[in-house]
């Protein structure tokens, strides 16, 4: 199976979950380059039209304690969502992280940021706690 086929299968499945309200926000798998991501954009256009969802091209995914940052750093992602407020909440969360780093207050809010990110991805609280606890490469 080609990598592009795999990405398209994941994109289809996640858009169906977003459309049905199972997930507020979904992430594509990371793409190594913007060009690799661009190869699937025609499919993304088709699938988001099919499911009445939207997408956002993300070149710098929010780094948090939820995921090992080395998996996403320097990678290109696509975020899928149904409601604009969910994308806005994600973008605001990125700003909160940046501002907390600037003010040197990140240590006091890092767990809350990771939790909020997990909630946007519609993960159960127990799963969020487990992911944070098991992540050895904190963001």
């Amino acid at each position: 199976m080609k990598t592009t086929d795999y990405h398209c299968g994941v994109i289809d499945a996640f858009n169906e979950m977003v459309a049905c309200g199972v997930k507020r926000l979904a992430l594509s798998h990371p793409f190594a380059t913007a060009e690799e991501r661009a190869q699937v954009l025609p499919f993304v256009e088709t699938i988001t039209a099919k499911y009445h969802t939207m997408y956002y091209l993300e070149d710098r995914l929010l780094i948090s304690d939820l995921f090992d940052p080395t998996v996403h750093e320097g990678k290109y992602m696509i975020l899928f969502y149904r409601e604009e407020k969910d994308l806005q909440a994600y973008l605001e969360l990125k700003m909160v992280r940046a501002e907390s780093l600037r003010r040197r207050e990140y240590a006091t809010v890092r767990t809350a940021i990771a939790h909020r990110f997990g909630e946007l991805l519609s993960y159960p609280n127990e799963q969020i706690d487990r992911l944070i606890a098991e992540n050895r490469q904190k963001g």
Side-chain angles (χ1 to χ4, degrees), residues 7-102:
H7 280 293
C8 290
V10 170
I11 289 166
D12 188 345
F14 278 153
N15 273 275
E16 183 177 9
M17 286 190 273
V18 169
C20 293
V22 174
K23 293 184 72 57
R24 293 172 57 194
L25 184 71
L27 308 174
S28 69
H29 282 282
F31 293 90
T33 66
E35 293 77 20
E36 181 184 337
R37 180 180 63 189
Q39 291 176 2
V40 301
L41 289 182
F43 179 78
V44 167
E45 292 283 340
T46 300
I47 214 68
T48 54
K50 173 183 174 183
Y51 290 112
H52 307 289
T53 55
M54 295 177 274
Y55 70 94
Y56 177 81
L57 301 179
E58 178 59 278
D59 295 346
R60 290 183 181 92
L61 186 70
L62 170 66
I63 301 298
S64 77
D65 292 349
L66 193 62
F67 301 118
D68 178 343
T70 62
V71 174
H72 299 107
E73 280 182 323
K75 304 290 190 213
Y76 298 85
M77 309 286 296
I78 308 171
L79 282 58
F80 301 100
Y81 57 98
R82 186 177 60 183
E83 296 186 36
E84 189 67 33
K85 69 179 182 175
D86 294 324
L87 176 63
Q88 291 308 313
Y90 166 78
L91 295 173
E92 288 170 16
L93 195 56
K94 282 184 71 172
M95 289 188 323
V96 166
R97 182 184 187 274
E99 183 62 18
S100 70
L101 286 169
R102 187 185 72 74

